[in-house]
């Protein structure tokens, strides 16, 4: 999984902390974590295409949450940023090389592909069961001052 997923998850929580009343430019969201703005913008655009964020163009434009954090699963964000393709793709190498042949029966399904498929299904279910509000609450438990620090920093930028 690419780092864009981490960036997208943090950005959604940060947008919730900043509040729904203003759109936040990608550059400002990127500056909070010292990330490259152009690359974060790609992740935010993907979230907007998926209906997780809204994007407002123009001088006062930026990104906002499109729905409450409790309605956005971690899987929603992963799919928005990474796509929905399966993580493991079996190339059926069991049917290549000296072990293959017309008289060899390797069975209907590759045991490796079956095991990886079960693991991926469990992973996807676990991500679908957690929402961004769960993440927000845990982040606030770990660092209770984080929302206030972000809002104070952001307010200082918008005042200038």
């Amino acid at each position: 999984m690419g780092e864009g997923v981490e960036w997208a998850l943090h950005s959604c929580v940060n947008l919730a902390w900043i509040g729904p009343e203003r759109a936040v430019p990608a550059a400002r969201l990127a500056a909070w974590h010292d990330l490259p703005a152009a690359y974060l913008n790609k992740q935010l655009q993907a979230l907007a295409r998926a209906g997780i964020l809204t994007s407002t163009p123009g001088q006062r434009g930026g990104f906002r949450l499109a729905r409450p954090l409790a309605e956005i699963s971690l899987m929603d964000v992963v799919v928005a940023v990474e796509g929905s393709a399966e993580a493991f793709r079996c190339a059926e190498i069991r049917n290549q090389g000296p072990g293959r042949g017309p008289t060899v029966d390797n069975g209907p399904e590759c045991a490796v592909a079956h095991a990886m498929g079960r693991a991926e299904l469990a992973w996807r279910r676990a991500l679908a069961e957690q929402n961004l509000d769960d993440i927000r609450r845990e982040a606030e438990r770990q660092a209770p001052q984080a929302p206030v620090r972000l809002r104070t920093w952001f307010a200082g930028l918008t005042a200038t």
Side-chain angles (χ1 to χ4, degrees):
M1 191 178 321
E3 61 191 0
V5 171
E6 177 187 8
W7 298 6
L9 291 166
H10 278 283
S11 293
C12 288
V13 172
N14 290 343
L15 286 168
W17 284 340
I18 291 168
E21 62 278 352
R22 53 175 55 163
V24 181
R28 289 205 180 148
L29 285 169
W32 179 247
H33 291 293
D34 197 24
L35 302 173
Y39 186 62
L40 178 61
N41 188 58
K42 290 180 183 181
Q43 312 316 313
L44 299 174
Q45 289 293 340
L47 294 175
R49 284 189 299 277
I52 295 169
L53 301 180
T54 59
S55 175
T56 306
Q59 186 79 352
R60 296 191 175 269
F63 295 91
R64 290 184 175 106
L65 289 169
R67 54 189 200 252
L69 290 181
E71 296 177 14
I72 305 167
S73 75
L74 274 62
M75 193 68 221
D76 293 336
V77 174
V78 169
V79 169
V81 173
E82 295 282 323
S84 60
E86 294 177 354
F88 180 80
R89 291 170 195 84
C90 182
E92 285 291 344
I93 66 168
R94 67 192 179 136
N95 294 323
Q96 298 173 9
R100 70 170 184 199
T103 60
V104 177
D105 181 9
N106 285 321
E109 182 180 19
C110 174
V112 170
H114 183 69
M116 294 301 286
R118 282 193 327 262
E120 182 164 346
L121 182 58
W123 172 76
R124 286 177 180 267
R125 282 182 178 155
L127 290 175
E129 290 170 1
Q130 295 180 73
N131 65 54
L132 285 176
D133 203 44
D134 299 332
I135 300 299
R136 180 200 54 80
R137 282 193 308 272
E138 180 62 17
E140 289 173 3
R141 188 190 67 73
Q142 292 175 358
Q145 73 288 1
V148 172
R149 282 185 26 239
L150 174 65
R151 283 191 295 270
T152 302
W153 175 83
F154 185 75
L157 288 177
T158 57
T160 58

